[in-house]
Amino acid sequence: MTVDEFDAALAALGWKVSEFCRATGLHRNTPSRWRNEGVEIPAWVPQHLGLLLDVRRLHAASLVPASPKAEGWLVQDLARLYAAYLTPHSGGDDAV
């Protein structure tokens, strides 16, 4: 994830960097290090933000009655989220 992608994800969530730091337990200077010192953004950050964006989108979709065109979309998306975030990955490190 690039710093621009990080900023875009926060903007899509309507969050400030300080809110992201509070929610994730990061020190408030950590994102500045990503931006100014070229420190690599950890792999969990885009995964975490992606999950939050998916939850936000699903929540918004659940508030509006589905159109006939969108019928079944919510179930398909929930299945995709389950596979992406809840199905154990084979091999690799089990640490979170």
Side-chain angles (χ1 to χ4, degrees):
M1 168 175 259
T2 66
V3 172
D4 289 338
E5 292 168 334
F6 174 73
D7 291 340
L10 290 184
L13 289 168
W15 283 19
K16 297 176 184 175
V17 173
S18 60
E19 293 168 322
F20 175 78
C21 290
R22 268 194 300 279
T24 59
L26 289 177
H27 188 276
R28 67 180 182 271
N29 292 338
T30 299
S32 293
R33 293 181 63 224
W34 300 339
R35 185 178 318 284
N36 301 323
E37 297 175 22
V39 173
E40 187 175 339
I41 296 174
W44 66 265
V45 172
Q47 293 171 340
H48 184 75
L49 291 172
L51 178 59
L52 292 174
L53 289 166
D54 283 343
V55 169
R56 180 182 176 93
R57 189 171 44 80
L58 283 171
H59 178 259
S62 72
L63 297 176
V64 178
S67 69
K69 283 182 158 181
E71 194 169 310
W73 170 85
L74 189 60
V75 172
Q76 290 172 2
D77 222 30
L78 287 172
R80 182 187 62 78
L81 287 172
Y82 183 87
Y85 298 109
L86 299 174
T87 301
H89 299 289
S90 59
D93 188 357
D94 289 338
V96 176

PDB file of all heavy atoms in Angstrom, residues 61-96:
ATOM      1  N   ALA A  61     -25.332  -0.729   2.111  1.00  0.00           N
ATOM      2  CA  ALA A  61     -26.222  -1.513   1.252  1.00  0.00           C
ATOM      3  C   ALA A  61     -27.381  -2.105   2.042  1.00  0.00           C
ATOM      4  O   ALA A  61     -28.483  -2.258   1.510  1.00  0.00           O
ATOM      5  CB  ALA A  61     -25.436  -2.629   0.563  1.00  0.00           C
ATOM      6  N   SER A  62     -27.154  -2.421   3.298  1.00  0.00           N
ATOM      7  CA  SER A  62     -28.225  -3.021   4.096  1.00  0.00           C
ATOM      8  C   SER A  62     -29.283  -1.996   4.488  1.00  0.00           C
ATOM      9  O   SER A  62     -30.397  -2.358   4.847  1.00  0.00           O
ATOM     10  CB  SER A  62     -27.654  -3.679   5.348  1.00  0.00           C
ATOM     11  OG  SER A  62     -27.222  -2.697   6.274  1.00  0.00           O
ATOM     12  N   LEU A  63     -28.938  -0.713   4.421  1.00  0.00           N
ATOM     13  CA  LEU A  63     -29.882   0.334   4.789  1.00  0.00           C
ATOM     14  C   LEU A  63     -30.843   0.688   3.657  1.00  0.00           C
ATOM     15  O   LEU A  63     -31.899   1.249   3.893  1.00  0.00           O
ATOM     16  CB  LEU A  63     -29.126   1.601   5.224  1.00  0.00           C
ATOM     17  CG  LEU A  63     -28.252   1.443   6.457  1.00  0.00           C
ATOM     18  CD1 LEU A  63     -27.495   2.744   6.714  1.00  0.00           C
ATOM     19  CD2 LEU A  63     -29.067   1.050   7.667  1.00  0.00           C
ATOM     20  N   VAL A  64     -30.451   0.374   2.442  1.00  0.00           N
ATOM     21  CA  VAL A  64     -31.264   0.702   1.268  1.00  0.00           C
ATOM     22  C   VAL A  64     -31.832  -0.593   0.703  1.00  0.00           C
ATOM     23  O   VAL A  64     -31.082  -1.542   0.475  1.00  0.00           O
ATOM     24  CB  VAL A  64     -30.385   1.399   0.198  1.00  0.00           C
ATOM     25  CG1 VAL A  64     -31.186   1.716  -1.041  1.00  0.00           C
ATOM     26  CG2 VAL A  64     -29.752   2.645   0.770  1.00  0.00           C
ATOM     27  N   PRO A  65     -33.139  -0.643   0.482  1.00  0.00           N
ATOM     28  CA  PRO A  65     -33.696  -1.867  -0.105  1.00  0.00           C
ATOM     29  C   PRO A  65     -33.039  -2.173  -1.447  1.00  0.00           C
ATOM     30  O   PRO A  65     -32.805  -1.274  -2.253  1.00  0.00           O
ATOM     31  CB  PRO A  65     -35.181  -1.536  -0.292  1.00  0.00           C
ATOM     32  CG  PRO A  65     -35.439  -0.364   0.584  1.00  0.00           C
ATOM     33  CD  PRO A  65     -34.134   0.372   0.728  1.00  0.00           C
ATOM     34  N   ALA A  66     -32.725  -3.428  -1.648  1.00  0.00           N
ATOM     35  CA  ALA A  66     -32.054  -3.845  -2.884  1.00  0.00           C
ATOM     36  C   ALA A  66     -32.996  -3.714  -4.071  1.00  0.00           C
ATOM     37  O   ALA A  66     -34.178  -4.035  -3.990  1.00  0.00           O
ATOM     38  CB  ALA A  66     -31.580  -5.291  -2.760  1.00  0.00           C
ATOM     39  N   SER A  67     -32.439  -3.248  -5.160  1.00  0.00           N
ATOM     40  CA  SER A  67     -33.200  -3.176  -6.403  1.00  0.00           C
ATOM     41  C   SER A  67     -33.236  -4.574  -7.015  1.00  0.00           C
ATOM     42  O   SER A  67     -32.431  -5.440  -6.665  1.00  0.00           O
ATOM     43  CB  SER A  67     -32.536  -2.203  -7.365  1.00  0.00           C
ATOM     44  OG  SER A  67     -31.307  -2.733  -7.817  1.00  0.00           O
ATOM     45  N   PRO A  68     -34.166  -4.818  -7.943  1.00  0.00           N
ATOM     46  CA  PRO A  68     -34.184  -6.137  -8.596  1.00  0.00           C
ATOM     47  C   PRO A  68     -32.852  -6.477  -9.261  1.00  0.00           C
ATOM     48  O   PRO A  68     -32.448  -7.630  -9.292  1.00  0.00           O
ATOM     49  CB  PRO A  68     -35.297  -5.994  -9.630  1.00  0.00           C
ATOM     50  CG  PRO A  68     -36.183  -4.915  -9.103  1.00  0.00           C
ATOM     51  CD  PRO A  68     -35.273  -3.978  -8.362  1.00  0.00           C
ATOM     52  N   LYS A  69     -32.150  -5.474  -9.787  1.00  0.00           N
ATOM     53  CA  LYS A  69     -30.845  -5.710 -10.417  1.00  0.00           C
ATOM     54  C   LYS A  69     -29.814  -6.202  -9.403  1.00  0.00           C
ATOM     55  O   LYS A  69     -28.915  -6.955  -9.738  1.00  0.00           O
ATOM     56  CB  LYS A  69     -30.320  -4.436 -11.059  1.00  0.00           C
ATOM     57  CG  LYS A  69     -30.942  -4.068 -12.358  1.00  0.00           C
ATOM     58  CD  LYS A  69     -30.260  -2.810 -12.856  1.00  0.00           C
ATOM     59  CE  LYS A  69     -30.419  -2.661 -14.339  1.00  0.00           C
ATOM     60  NZ  LYS A  69     -29.733  -1.460 -14.829  1.00  0.00           N
ATOM     61  N   ALA A  70     -29.930  -5.737  -8.175  1.00  0.00           N
ATOM     62  CA  ALA A  70     -28.934  -6.055  -7.153  1.00  0.00           C
ATOM     63  C   ALA A  70     -29.301  -7.283  -6.330  1.00  0.00           C
ATOM     64  O   ALA A  70     -28.598  -7.621  -5.399  1.00  0.00           O
ATOM     65  CB  ALA A  70     -28.754  -4.858  -6.228  1.00  0.00           C
ATOM     66  N   GLU A  71     -30.369  -7.945  -6.676  1.00  0.00           N
ATOM     67  CA  GLU A  71     -30.813  -9.106  -5.902  1.00  0.00           C
ATOM     68  C   GLU A  71     -29.694 -10.145  -5.819  1.00  0.00           C
ATOM     69  O   GLU A  71     -29.067 -10.491  -6.795  1.00  0.00           O
ATOM     70  CB  GLU A  71     -32.042  -9.728  -6.562  1.00  0.00           C
ATOM     71  CG  GLU A  71     -32.766 -10.696  -5.669  1.00  0.00           C
ATOM     72  CD  GLU A  71     -34.108 -11.069  -6.263  1.00  0.00           C
ATOM     73  OE1 GLU A  71     -34.852 -10.174  -6.636  1.00  0.00           O
ATOM     74  OE2 GLU A  71     -34.367 -12.277  -6.343  1.00  0.00           O
ATOM     75  N   GLY A  72     -29.404 -10.591  -4.642  1.00  0.00           N
ATOM     76  CA  GLY A  72     -28.374 -11.599  -4.423  1.00  0.00           C
ATOM     77  C   GLY A  72     -26.985 -11.025  -4.216  1.00  0.00           C
ATOM     78  O   GLY A  72     -26.071 -11.731  -3.810  1.00  0.00           O
ATOM     79  N   TRP A  73     -26.825  -9.733  -4.486  1.00  0.00           N
ATOM     80  CA  TRP A  73     -25.513  -9.108  -4.351  1.00  0.00           C
ATOM     81  C   TRP A  73     -24.991  -9.211  -2.930  1.00  0.00           C
ATOM     82  O   TRP A  73     -23.826  -9.534  -2.710  1.00  0.00           O
ATOM     83  CB  TRP A  73     -25.616  -7.640  -4.778  1.00  0.00           C
ATOM     84  CG  TRP A  73     -24.392  -6.846  -4.458  1.00  0.00           C
ATOM     85  CD1 TRP A  73     -23.274  -6.744  -5.220  1.00  0.00           C
ATOM     86  CD2 TRP A  73     -24.158  -6.059  -3.287  1.00  0.00           C
ATOM     87  NE1 TRP A  73     -22.356  -5.934  -4.597  1.00  0.00           N
ATOM     88  CE2 TRP A  73     -22.875  -5.501  -3.411  1.00  0.00           C
ATOM     89  CE3 TRP A  73     -24.892  -5.769  -2.144  1.00  0.00           C
ATOM     90  CZ2 TRP A  73     -22.321  -4.677  -2.443  1.00  0.00           C
ATOM     91  CZ3 TRP A  73     -24.345  -4.952  -1.187  1.00  0.00           C
ATOM     92  CH2 TRP A  73     -23.079  -4.415  -1.347  1.00  0.00           C
ATOM     93  N   LEU A  74     -25.836  -8.937  -1.958  1.00  0.00           N
ATOM     94  CA  LEU A  74     -25.403  -8.931  -0.571  1.00  0.00           C
ATOM     95  C   LEU A  74     -24.902 -10.309  -0.145  1.00  0.00           C
ATOM     96  O   LEU A  74     -23.852 -10.434   0.476  1.00  0.00           O
ATOM     97  CB  LEU A  74     -26.543  -8.468   0.339  1.00  0.00           C
ATOM     98  CG  LEU A  74     -26.200  -8.208   1.794  1.00  0.00           C
ATOM     99  CD1 LEU A  74     -25.144  -7.124   1.917  1.00  0.00           C
ATOM    100  CD2 LEU A  74     -27.431  -7.801   2.571  1.00  0.00           C
ATOM    101  N   VAL A  75     -25.612 -11.345  -0.522  1.00  0.00           N
ATOM    102  CA  VAL A  75     -25.200 -12.709  -0.163  1.00  0.00           C
ATOM    103  C   VAL A  75     -23.877 -13.051  -0.841  1.00  0.00           C
ATOM    104  O   VAL A  75     -22.981 -13.632  -0.217  1.00  0.00           O
ATOM    105  CB  VAL A  75     -26.302 -13.724  -0.533  1.00  0.00           C
ATOM    106  CG1 VAL A  75     -25.811 -15.147  -0.354  1.00  0.00           C
ATOM    107  CG2 VAL A  75     -27.550 -13.472   0.290  1.00  0.00           C
ATOM    108  N   GLN A  76     -23.726 -12.682  -2.101  1.00  0.00           N
ATOM    109  CA  GLN A  76     -22.468 -12.952  -2.813  1.00  0.00           C
ATOM    110  C   GLN A  76     -21.314 -12.204  -2.160  1.00  0.00           C
ATOM    111  O   GLN A  76     -20.210 -12.737  -2.008  1.00  0.00           O
ATOM    112  CB  GLN A  76     -22.584 -12.548  -4.277  1.00  0.00           C
ATOM    113  CG  GLN A  76     -23.500 -13.427  -5.078  1.00  0.00           C
ATOM    114  CD  GLN A  76     -23.730 -12.880  -6.476  1.00  0.00           C
ATOM    115  OE1 GLN A  76     -23.171 -11.866  -6.862  1.00  0.00           O
ATOM    116  NE2 GLN A  76     -24.564 -13.566  -7.242  1.00  0.00           N
ATOM    117  N   ASP A  77     -21.551 -10.967  -1.776  1.00  0.00           N
ATOM    118  CA  ASP A  77     -20.493 -10.186  -1.157  1.00  0.00           C
ATOM    119  C   ASP A  77     -20.132 -10.734   0.217  1.00  0.00           C
ATOM    120  O   ASP A  77     -18.969 -10.748   0.595  1.00  0.00           O
ATOM    121  CB  ASP A  77     -20.905  -8.716  -1.054  1.00  0.00           C
ATOM    122  CG  ASP A  77     -19.764  -7.790  -1.425  1.00  0.00           C
ATOM    123  OD1 ASP A  77     -18.921  -8.190  -2.247  1.00  0.00           O
ATOM    124  OD2 ASP A  77     -19.722  -6.686  -0.871  1.00  0.00           O
ATOM    125  N   LEU A  78     -21.124 -11.183   0.971  1.00  0.00           N
ATOM    126  CA  LEU A  78     -20.833 -11.781   2.266  1.00  0.00           C
ATOM    127  C   LEU A  78     -20.009 -13.048   2.102  1.00  0.00           C
ATOM    128  O   LEU A  78     -19.081 -13.302   2.875  1.00  0.00           O
ATOM    129  CB  LEU A  78     -22.127 -12.064   3.027  1.00  0.00           C
ATOM    130  CG  LEU A  78     -22.825 -10.831   3.585  1.00  0.00           C
ATOM    131  CD1 LEU A  78     -24.195 -11.221   4.155  1.00  0.00           C
ATOM    132  CD2 LEU A  78     -21.990 -10.137   4.630  1.00  0.00           C
ATOM    133  N   ALA A  79     -20.298 -13.837   1.083  1.00  0.00           N
ATOM    134  CA  ALA A  79     -19.509 -15.042   0.817  1.00  0.00           C
ATOM    135  C   ALA A  79     -18.072 -14.673   0.454  1.00  0.00           C
ATOM    136  O   ALA A  79     -17.116 -15.320   0.898  1.00  0.00           O
ATOM    137  CB  ALA A  79     -20.147 -15.855  -0.303  1.00  0.00           C
ATOM    138  N   ARG A  80     -17.900 -13.610  -0.326  1.00  0.00           N
ATOM    139  CA  ARG A  80     -16.558 -13.155  -0.689  1.00  0.00           C
ATOM    140  C   ARG A  80     -15.795 -12.683   0.539  1.00  0.00           C
ATOM    141  O   ARG A  80     -14.618 -13.009   0.724  1.00  0.00           O
ATOM    142  CB  ARG A  80     -16.650 -12.014  -1.712  1.00  0.00           C
ATOM    143  CG  ARG A  80     -15.292 -11.519  -2.185  1.00  0.00           C
ATOM    144  CD  ARG A  80     -15.418 -10.287  -3.069  1.00  0.00           C
ATOM    145  NE  ARG A  80     -16.014  -9.146  -2.391  1.00  0.00           N
ATOM    146  CZ  ARG A  80     -15.356  -8.355  -1.523  1.00  0.00           C
ATOM    147  NH1 ARG A  80     -14.099  -8.596  -1.224  1.00  0.00           N
ATOM    148  NH2 ARG A  80     -15.960  -7.334  -0.951  1.00  0.00           N
ATOM    149  N   LEU A  81     -16.468 -11.942   1.418  1.00  0.00           N
ATOM    150  CA  LEU A  81     -15.820 -11.471   2.636  1.00  0.00           C
ATOM    151  C   LEU A  81     -15.443 -12.632   3.543  1.00  0.00           C
ATOM    152  O   LEU A  81     -14.364 -12.642   4.145  1.00  0.00           O
ATOM    153  CB  LEU A  81     -16.724 -10.501   3.387  1.00  0.00           C
ATOM    154  CG  LEU A  81     -16.872  -9.127   2.756  1.00  0.00           C
ATOM    155  CD1 LEU A  81     -17.941  -8.328   3.485  1.00  0.00           C
ATOM    156  CD2 LEU A  81     -15.558  -8.393   2.757  1.00  0.00           C
ATOM    157  N   TYR A  82     -16.319 -13.613   3.645  1.00  0.00           N
ATOM    158  CA  TYR A  82     -16.024 -14.779   4.465  1.00  0.00           C
ATOM    159  C   TYR A  82     -14.761 -15.468   3.947  1.00  0.00           C
ATOM    160  O   TYR A  82     -13.851 -15.797   4.711  1.00  0.00           O
ATOM    161  CB  TYR A  82     -17.202 -15.755   4.463  1.00  0.00           C
ATOM    162  CG  TYR A  82     -16.949 -16.938   5.357  1.00  0.00           C
ATOM    163  CD1 TYR A  82     -17.256 -16.873   6.711  1.00  0.00           C
ATOM    164  CD2 TYR A  82     -16.381 -18.104   4.874  1.00  0.00           C
ATOM    165  CE1 TYR A  82     -16.999 -17.948   7.549  1.00  0.00           C
ATOM    166  CE2 TYR A  82     -16.123 -19.171   5.702  1.00  0.00           C
ATOM    167  CZ  TYR A  82     -16.442 -19.096   7.041  1.00  0.00           C
ATOM    168  OH  TYR A  82     -16.178 -20.152   7.860  1.00  0.00           O
ATOM    169  N   ALA A  83     -14.706 -15.654   2.624  1.00  0.00           N
ATOM    170  CA  ALA A  83     -13.540 -16.315   2.037  1.00  0.00           C
ATOM    171  C   ALA A  83     -12.271 -15.487   2.224  1.00  0.00           C
ATOM    172  O   ALA A  83     -11.200 -16.028   2.501  1.00  0.00           O
ATOM    173  CB  ALA A  83     -13.788 -16.578   0.557  1.00  0.00           C
ATOM    174  N   ALA A  84     -12.382 -14.175   2.109  1.00  0.00           N
ATOM    175  CA  ALA A  84     -11.208 -13.314   2.187  1.00  0.00           C
ATOM    176  C   ALA A  84     -10.689 -13.140   3.599  1.00  0.00           C
ATOM    177  O   ALA A  84      -9.479 -13.068   3.820  1.00  0.00           O
ATOM    178  CB  ALA A  84     -11.530 -11.951   1.584  1.00  0.00           C
ATOM    179  N   TYR A  85     -11.593 -13.078   4.581  1.00  0.00           N
ATOM    180  CA  TYR A  85     -11.166 -12.696   5.926  1.00  0.00           C
ATOM    181  C   TYR A  85     -11.329 -13.783   6.984  1.00  0.00           C
ATOM    182  O   TYR A  85     -10.690 -13.722   8.015  1.00  0.00           O
ATOM    183  CB  TYR A  85     -11.916 -11.442   6.388  1.00  0.00           C
ATOM    184  CG  TYR A  85     -11.641 -10.253   5.515  1.00  0.00           C
ATOM    185  CD1 TYR A  85     -12.605  -9.759   4.664  1.00  0.00           C
ATOM    186  CD2 TYR A  85     -10.398  -9.628   5.530  1.00  0.00           C
ATOM    187  CE1 TYR A  85     -12.344  -8.664   3.855  1.00  0.00           C
ATOM    188  CE2 TYR A  85     -10.134  -8.536   4.734  1.00  0.00           C
ATOM    189  CZ  TYR A  85     -11.112  -8.059   3.892  1.00  0.00           C
ATOM    190  OH  TYR A  85     -10.859  -6.986   3.099  1.00  0.00           O
ATOM    191  N   LEU A  86     -12.192 -14.747   6.760  1.00  0.00           N
ATOM    192  CA  LEU A  86     -12.471 -15.726   7.800  1.00  0.00           C
ATOM    193  C   LEU A  86     -12.000 -17.126   7.487  1.00  0.00           C
ATOM    194  O   LEU A  86     -11.926 -17.960   8.382  1.00  0.00           O
ATOM    195  CB  LEU A  86     -13.972 -15.746   8.111  1.00  0.00           C
ATOM    196  CG  LEU A  86     -14.514 -14.403   8.635  1.00  0.00           C
ATOM    197  CD1 LEU A  86     -16.021 -14.468   8.775  1.00  0.00           C
ATOM    198  CD2 LEU A  86     -13.875 -14.043   9.958  1.00  0.00           C
ATOM    199  N   THR A  87     -11.710 -17.421   6.242  1.00  0.00           N
ATOM    200  CA  THR A  87     -11.210 -18.739   5.883  1.00  0.00           C
ATOM    201  C   THR A  87      -9.709 -18.787   6.172  1.00  0.00           C
ATOM    202  O   THR A  87      -8.974 -17.914   5.710  1.00  0.00           O
ATOM    203  CB  THR A  87     -11.458 -19.026   4.387  1.00  0.00           C
ATOM    204  OG1 THR A  87     -12.847 -18.937   4.147  1.00  0.00           O
ATOM    205  CG2 THR A  87     -10.962 -20.405   4.002  1.00  0.00           C
ATOM    206  N   PRO A  88      -9.274 -19.758   6.967  1.00  0.00           N
ATOM    207  CA  PRO A  88      -7.839 -19.843   7.259  1.00  0.00           C
ATOM    208  C   PRO A  88      -7.029 -19.997   5.979  1.00  0.00           C
ATOM    209  O   PRO A  88      -7.429 -20.715   5.062  1.00  0.00           O
ATOM    210  CB  PRO A  88      -7.718 -21.088   8.128  1.00  0.00           C
ATOM    211  CG  PRO A  88      -9.086 -21.341   8.645  1.00  0.00           C
ATOM    212  CD  PRO A  88     -10.029 -20.800   7.610  1.00  0.00           C
ATOM    213  N   HIS A  89      -5.920 -19.300   5.914  1.00  0.00           N
ATOM    214  CA  HIS A  89      -5.044 -19.399   4.754  1.00  0.00           C
ATOM    215  C   HIS A  89      -4.146 -20.603   4.918  1.00  0.00           C
ATOM    216  O   HIS A  89      -3.659 -20.887   6.000  1.00  0.00           O
ATOM    217  CB  HIS A  89      -4.194 -18.134   4.614  1.00  0.00           C
ATOM    218  CG  HIS A  89      -5.015 -16.911   4.419  1.00  0.00           C
ATOM    219  ND1 HIS A  89      -5.705 -16.659   3.259  1.00  0.00           N
ATOM    220  CD2 HIS A  89      -5.285 -15.869   5.233  1.00  0.00           C
ATOM    221  CE1 HIS A  89      -6.351 -15.514   3.359  1.00  0.00           C
ATOM    222  NE2 HIS A  89      -6.122 -15.022   4.561  1.00  0.00           N
ATOM    223  N   SER A  90      -3.906 -21.323   3.840  1.00  0.00           N
ATOM    224  CA  SER A  90      -3.047 -22.497   3.926  1.00  0.00           C
ATOM    225  C   SER A  90      -1.593 -22.080   3.922  1.00  0.00           C
ATOM    226  O   SER A  90      -1.197 -21.161   3.217  1.00  0.00           O
ATOM    227  CB  SER A  90      -3.310 -23.431   2.743  1.00  0.00           C
ATOM    228  OG  SER A  90      -3.072 -22.753   1.533  1.00  0.00           O
ATOM    229  N   GLY A  91      -0.812 -22.731   4.758  1.00  0.00           N
ATOM    230  CA  GLY A  91       0.618 -22.453   4.832  1.00  0.00           C
ATOM    231  C   GLY A  91       0.884 -21.089   5.440  1.00  0.00           C
ATOM    232  O   GLY A  91      -0.001 -20.393   5.881  1.00  0.00           O
ATOM    233  N   GLY A  92       2.119 -20.711   5.448  1.00  0.00           N
ATOM    234  CA  GLY A  92       2.497 -19.391   5.941  1.00  0.00           C
ATOM    235  C   GLY A  92       2.430 -19.281   7.439  1.00  0.00           C
ATOM    236  O   GLY A  92       2.219 -20.245   8.155  1.00  0.00           O
ATOM    237  N   ASP A  93       2.578 -18.087   7.911  1.00  0.00           N
ATOM    238  CA  ASP A  93       2.620 -17.797   9.334  1.00  0.00           C
ATOM    239  C   ASP A  93       1.206 -17.598   9.878  1.00  0.00           C
ATOM    240  O   ASP A  93       0.422 -16.865   9.305  1.00  0.00           O
ATOM    241  CB  ASP A  93       3.444 -16.531   9.559  1.00  0.00           C
ATOM    242  CG  ASP A  93       3.710 -16.255  11.015  1.00  0.00           C
ATOM    243  OD1 ASP A  93       3.237 -16.982  11.887  1.00  0.00           O
ATOM    244  OD2 ASP A  93       4.438 -15.283  11.254  1.00  0.00           O
ATOM    245  N   ASP A  94       0.873 -18.241  10.966  1.00  0.00           N
ATOM    246  CA  ASP A  94      -0.443 -18.119  11.564  1.00  0.00           C
ATOM    247  C   ASP A  94      -0.562 -16.884  12.453  1.00  0.00           C
ATOM    248  O   ASP A  94      -1.634 -16.560  12.925  1.00  0.00           O
ATOM    249  CB  ASP A  94      -0.798 -19.357  12.388  1.00  0.00           C
ATOM    250  CG  ASP A  94      -1.061 -20.558  11.510  1.00  0.00           C
ATOM    251  OD1 ASP A  94      -1.382 -20.391  10.317  1.00  0.00           O
ATOM    252  OD2 ASP A  94      -0.958 -21.677  12.029  1.00  0.00           O
ATOM    253  N   ALA A  95       0.545 -16.216  12.708  1.00  0.00           N
ATOM    254  CA  ALA A  95       0.516 -15.046  13.592  1.00  0.00           C
ATOM    255  C   ALA A  95      -0.232 -13.905  12.926  1.00  0.00           C
ATOM    256  O   ALA A  95      -0.163 -13.708  11.740  1.00  0.00           O
ATOM    257  CB  ALA A  95       1.934 -14.598  13.930  1.00  0.00           C
ATOM    258  N   VAL A  96      -0.938 -13.141  13.762  1.00  0.00           N
ATOM    259  CA  VAL A  96      -1.680 -11.994  13.244  1.00  0.00           C
ATOM    260  C   VAL A  96      -0.904 -10.739  13.498  1.00  0.00           C
ATOM    261  O   VAL A  96      -0.248 -10.547  14.437  1.00  0.00           O
ATOM    262  CB  VAL A  96      -3.071 -11.895  13.931  1.00  0.00           C
ATOM    263  CG1 VAL A  96      -3.806 -10.663  13.477  1.00  0.00           C
ATOM    264  CG2 VAL A  96      -3.861 -13.126  13.656  1.00  0.00           C
TER     265      VAL A  96
END
